[in-house]
Amino acid sequence: MSITASFEGSITALALFMLVNSVTPGPNNLMLLHGSIKHGFWACRLHMLGITLGVTIMLWLSYWGMAALIISFPAVMLIIKILGTLYLLWLTYQMAKTDFIAVVNEALKHEQQKVNEVTIKIKKRFGELPLSFGQALLFQWLNPKAWTMTVVAPSLAIFHAGKPWLDNYALLAMCAIINLLSISCWAAGGHWLRKLVHLPRVMRVIHALIVLMTLYCALTLWL
């Protein structure tokens, strides 16, 4: 195998891995779906950027040895799983008690009246979806799916002679772009679903499915 072929194969493997793990259902995407239905795609921009930066930082740290640390000390991952599960259970409860249709209608009303966005942000409670940039970034450290992705990813970008390719910041940028584009699909999907707000029963079903899928994410951490 030539050096070029090995290099390209590594990039392809890394890109596909990032795409599959970023676009499939998980806590981040379900939170963006819920948040974008409530407040629209643009309101999720900081949430999305926080996710992507958080994942990129974790990838960078994994290359420098964090992956080996997590593998060497299983208790660390256990703590992450416990904290992540508790947060997802709390989030599930917060989602479930939300008057979803009322929130969406209120958000649409604000948009129509072009209410100052700063005023809306001040009224947000901690943890309310969509998350702020900082909250989304910090959540990645409690997200076992993000940990799994960032711990495994460096091993997929290895030169045949054993040189890790994640010291190349262009690859980190590639991973960040793939992640951002993937999660933005969920935010865009949620924004589109707002068109169904005039169908209360459909919106209630969608809301229930998002809540149940979030609960499922919490439970699957232990399966």
Side-chain angles (χ1 to χ4, degrees):
M1 180 183 294
S2 69
I3 293 177
T4 303
S6 177
F7 174 64
E8 291 176 347
S10 297
I11 291 180
T12 301
L14 178 62
L16 288 175
F17 180 80
M18 288 299 301
L19 176 63
V20 170
N21 280 273
S22 297
V23 81
T24 50
N28 284 327
N29 289 333
L30 291 174
M31 291 162 72
L32 284 173
L33 182 63
H34 192 274
S36 60
I37 293 176
K38 287 169 60 179
H39 297 293
F41 180 87
W42 185 244
C44 294
R45 64 192 184 283
L46 295 181
H47 189 161
M48 290 188 286
L49 290 174
I51 291 172
T52 297
L53 181 59
V55 168
T56 304
I57 290 173
M58 292 170 72
L59 276 172
W60 181 70
L61 290 176
S62 287
Y63 163 66
W64 288 108
M66 186 179 70
L69 178 66
I70 297 299
I71 293 172
S72 301
F73 298 95
V76 175
M77 182 56 79
L78 177 61
I79 293 172
I80 293 169
K81 287 174 66 175
I82 292 172
L83 294 176
T85 300
L86 290 175
Y87 180 80
L88 288 175
L89 290 175
W90 176 82
L91 184 63
T92 300
Y93 170 72
Q94 295 296 322
M95 286 182 176
K97 74 175 187 177
T98 300
D99 187 345
F100 202 51
I101 297 175
V103 170
V104 176
N105 280 321
E106 184 66 19
L108 290 172
K109 179 181 177 182
H110 279 307
E111 290 174 11
Q112 291 171 358
Q113 296 176 346
K114 297 183 179 179
V115 177
N116 190 312
E117 188 176 336
V118 175
T119 304
I120 297 174
K121 283 186 176 181
I122 292 174
K123 295 180 180 179
K124 284 185 62 177
R125 301 188 307 272
F126 174 80
E128 183 179 344
L129 299 176
L131 298 179
S132 67
F133 175 82
Q135 290 171 356
L137 190 155
L138 291 175
F139 171 67
Q140 303 319 303
W141 298 86
L142 297 181
N143 183 0
K145 183 178 181 181
W147 277 98
T148 301
M149 178 169 62
T150 55
V151 166
V152 173
S155 67
L156 300 176
I158 297 179
F159 183 57
H160 80 290
K163 178 185 177 183
W165 278 102
L166 279 180
D167 58 350
N168 186 333
Y169 289 103
L171 281 190
L172 284 176
M174 178 193 74
C175 291
I177 292 171
I178 290 173
N179 179 260
L180 184 59
L181 292 177
S182 298
I183 62 178
S184 66
C185 293
W186 286 78
H191 186 90
W192 181 86
L193 287 173
R194 304 174 92 203
K195 298 178 180 180
L196 304 179
V197 70
H198 64 285
L199 302 173
R201 291 184 180 179
V202 175
M203 291 298 287
R204 290 191 186 96
V205 170
I206 293 172
H207 184 213
L209 287 174
I210 296 174
V211 171
L212 290 174
M213 288 175 69
T214 305
L215 177 61
Y216 177 74
C217 285
L219 298 178
T220 53
L221 299 180
W222 303 95
L223 298 180

